[in-house]
Amino acid sequence: MSSILSAAHTRTWLLSTPSTSYALRVGDVGLPVHLHWGVPLTLAQAASMAPYGPAHGIGDGHGHPEEYVVDGGPRFGLSSLQLRFPDGTRPVQPTLLGDKVEEADGAATLTLSYADEHYPLTLDLHYRVHDGCDVIERWCVLRHPSDPPALVTRLDSACWTLPPRPDYRLSHVTGHWGAESQLERVTVARAETTLTSRRGLTGHHANPWVMIDAGDATEDAGEVWSAALAWSGSWRITVDRSPTDRVQVLGGYGHDAVTWRLTGDDCLRTPVFSGLFSADGFGGASRGWHEHVRAHVLPRPDEVRPVVYNSWEATGFAVDEAGQQRLAALAAPLGVELFVMDDGWFGRRLDDNAGLGDWTPNPDRFPNGLTPLIDEVHRLGMRFGLWVEPEMVNPDSDLYRAYPDWVLHSANRARTELRQQLVLNFARPDVAEWAHGWLDGLLREHEIDFLKWDFNRPFTEAGWPSVGEDADRLWIDHVTGVYALLDRLRADHPRLRIESCAGGGGRVDLGILAHTDEVWTSDNTDAYDRLGIQYGFSQLYPAGIMAAWVTDSPNWLNGRAVPLRFRFHVAMAGVLAVGGNLTEWSPAELAEAASLVAQYKEIRPIVQHGRQYRLAPPGAPVTAVQYVAPDGDRSVVLAYRPFPTLGRLPQPLPLRGLDPTAVYRDDATGAEHPGALLLTRGLPLAFPSGDYASTAVTLTRL
């Protein structure tokens, strides 16, 4: 059980989760100071603790690390709250108004309410813990119920403080289109290290999470502190290491130069910025996040994700009814459960120059609409899905010609086109209502089970001239408008599944996952490259949301030729899909694919819902990942040996997460292995000869 307890005599609060404790206290200057984040404590122990010692040196601030740093007083580091009152005053002087702890639906929430000593400004700091989960959720709500408005220049969700350690190491991911989620580990500099997106979406180049350790953590052991922001627009996370080695992690939405006006009954509610401590290394931290996503983020975490066929790489924009039916007829015998038609089905969408915004079937390609294709897909025993990009418009479209001011734009400035398209302003109620109208109509008129929701370009000229000084609110309101639309569609169409896509993995975060079912990981479908992408992805996100395709060889992006078995085994580490041109696959390839799809269906409950262990990273002679079923009775090992090593056979692979007192049977060979030996000596591996060899092993506890 998780809980929040308080010691009134010291004004101390203790947040307890199954494996960790977090403690804070209201300090002399009003805002809470940080006491502890780590191994479990009792309330008496927390109440007796002194805060971390004051910083050394002149001008280092109030001394004790604050839970939420505001601009003002002798604070010279980065502030989570920065604003300007109507008279030009910048410092904030908060006074505690009260506190309350509420319990509901297996969660406990602490709220600390503050008001400025002079101005009509209130700030609520929120902390929430869930039963059975070590993640702590934090967010804040800011109000200024008076005119004229206050101008907010920064509003972070939370500030996390790390305990003193000899050194600090930062783990995060970086990359670009086609190479998302590349894991990096670097020493934390004595400076402000900021990860950010200024693009209006999460971004391919970074992802809103960090992990920090003392430089000695491994995959299986050591202390790791981590934090992740649930937001799908522009964001920033700053790791601040002072010259005296105090480390704090601040994070929230927005980016420099973007401001928000706050007045009247309005408020700014930040996205959740969650934190997790693990004493079990990076693997333990990842499994903690995976469980949190399944238990407290995803709308339908218990669903078994279907095997998908997507037509994009087979057809590109050359989409028509007959061609899609041919692909569907080949996909069904493979065991595919959901057939998805991608871009090119609507308007004058013959290429990426036109058509976005005109969401009606192309009459030349679908003379009788979508119903005949959908009926045929259903007759073949598959569900039907469709690609859409609701937030975008081509200038060459009927929609843009009718409503040119619906896009993000700035007065007296050119409208930059990327991929020949502009971004619709979903902060506008009329745009959001238009989008709901055609999407709802499409879903009501057709038996559509799945939407692949794409977003292929970032914001530019992100203005809204008709609202003047309030235009910057669109950086927030566009995202919340998208969230609201997704929720509205799901409520009206309960069977609907939605995949978040943004030119590949450009919109992957805990925010979008609260409104969708899975994410497209990368436009790069090369199996060898995917090993690194999936490794970085798994640091925070579970396999059950990671869409992974098997496509043609040689791969369209880099020309690499990889055996079909290797391609399938890599994609089986997530939510399996097929995306190749099946009309060009040989009968032998189709038969092998059907066999591998059947194998995946046997193991997918374990892959999608089990505990994940990264056994060996990309670049090792053998890369491997293991999944253990929630009840511990079955385990799946996917191992990859990209290149043989001359004169050396693969060594047995030590496993994780098994019962050392049990015996496990290899379901394929019937061989029996004591759990203790699998954990220490390892699982013997057998690979086919040649490059890009792989194997999938399923173990059952006897």
Side-chain angles (χ1 to χ4, degrees), residues 229-257:
L229 183 69
W231 186 243
S232 309
S234 290
W235 57 272
R236 54 192 164 194
I237 295 176
T238 299
V239 180
D240 184 3
R241 182 176 183 178
S242 74
T244 54
D245 288 330
R246 175 175 295 163
V247 173
Q248 293 185 300
V249 180
L250 300 81
Y253 53 20
H255 60 268
D256 293 344

Side-chain angles (χ1 to χ4, degrees), residues 70 122 169 241 263 527:
V70 301
T122 63
R169 179 174 56 175
R241 182 176 183 178
T263 190

Side-chain angles (χ1 to χ4, degrees), residues 469-554:
E469 292 181 324
D470 285 327
D472 277 356
R473 284 296 291 267
L474 71 83
W475 291 90
I476 298 174
D477 294 345
H478 180 101
V479 179
T480 57
V482 171
Y483 288 167
L485 176 56
L486 292 168
D487 290 346
R488 188 176 176 186
L489 291 172
R490 295 176 70 97
D492 291 341
H493 306 277
R495 76 172 187 274
L496 179 66
R497 303 181 70 256
I498 301 175
E499 177 183 281
S500 170
C501 174
R507 188 147 67 180
V508 177
D509 56 79
L510 297 181
I512 201 67
L513 286 174
H515 309 276
T516 59
D517 299 284
E518 62 190 51
V519 294
W520 180 224
T521 318
S522 176
D523 281 347
N524 186 348
T525 58
D526 172 65
Y528 182 70
D529 285 350
R530 272 295 183 112
L531 289 177
I533 293 170
Q534 294 177 180
Y535 184 80
F537 183 95
S538 73
Q539 300 294 315
L540 197 88
Y541 303 111
I545 65 156
M546 185 180 72
W549 291 4
V550 177
T551 57
D552 294 331
S553 180

Side-chain angles (χ1 to χ4, degrees), residues 81 113 119 168 187 275 277 324 335 348 378 402 510 515 593 595 620 649:
L81 173 58
S113 297
Y119 297 96
Y168 300 92
T187 299
F277 167 76
Q324 295 295 299
R348 292 187 297 107
H378 288 160
L510 297 181
H515 309 276
S595 175
L649 296 176

Side-chain angles (χ1 to χ4, degrees), residues 345-556:
W345 59 270
F346 54 92
R348 292 187 297 107
R349 189 71 166 169
L350 306 181
D351 51 36
D352 62 5
N353 290 293
L356 282 176
D358 301 337
W359 296 101
T360 55
N362 183 304
D364 296 327
R365 297 178 167 192
F366 298 92
N368 298 304
L370 298 180
T371 298
L373 173 61
I374 295 173
D375 287 348
E376 177 62 11
V377 168
H378 288 160
R379 188 192 69 80
L380 291 167
M382 299 179 290
R383 288 177 272 175
F384 183 79
L386 203 60
W387 179 94
V388 294
E389 193 170 9
E391 298 160 78
M392 299 292 163
V393 64
N394 287 123
D396 186 3
S397 67
D398 293 339
L399 180 72
Y400 185 76
R401 285 184 281 270
Y403 301 103
D405 288 343
W406 276 13
V407 301
L408 304 180
H409 68 285
S410 297
N412 308 311
R413 295 292 181 264
R415 304 181 181 191
T416 300
E417 294 181 27
L418 298 175
R419 205 172 182 252
Q420 295 79 49
Q421 62 194 57
L422 300 169
V423 183
L424 291 167
N425 182 359
F426 268 55
R428 293 180 60 127
D430 50 358
V431 172
E433 195 59 37
W434 162 83
H436 175 264
W438 74 261
L439 282 163
D440 183 64
L442 184 71
L443 295 169
R444 290 187 186 281
E445 294 165 15
H446 304 88
E447 291 186 57
I448 296 172
D449 304 284
F450 175 93
L451 292 177
K452 181 176 180 179
W453 186 295
D454 214 339
F455 186 94
N456 269 305
R457 58 150 294 175
F459 289 8
T460 57
E461 294 84 43
W464 187 357
S466 64
V467 300
E469 292 181 324
D470 285 327
D472 277 356
R473 284 296 291 267
L474 71 83
W475 291 90
I476 298 174
D477 294 345
H478 180 101
V479 179
T480 57
V482 171
Y483 288 167
L485 176 56
L486 292 168
D487 290 346
R488 188 176 176 186
L489 291 172
R490 295 176 70 97
D492 291 341
H493 306 277
R495 76 172 187 274
L496 179 66
R497 303 181 70 256
I498 301 175
E499 177 183 281
S500 170
C501 174
R507 188 147 67 180
V508 177
D509 56 79
L510 297 181
I512 201 67
L513 286 174
H515 309 276
T516 59
D517 299 284
E518 62 190 51
V519 294
W520 180 224
T521 318
S522 176
D523 281 347
N524 186 348
T525 58
D526 172 65
Y528 182 70
D529 285 350
R530 272 295 183 112
L531 289 177
I533 293 170
Q534 294 177 180
Y535 184 80
F537 183 95
S538 73
Q539 300 294 315
L540 197 88
Y541 303 111
I545 65 156
M546 185 180 72
W549 291 4
V550 177
T551 57
D552 294 331
S553 180
N555 187 268
W556 69 275

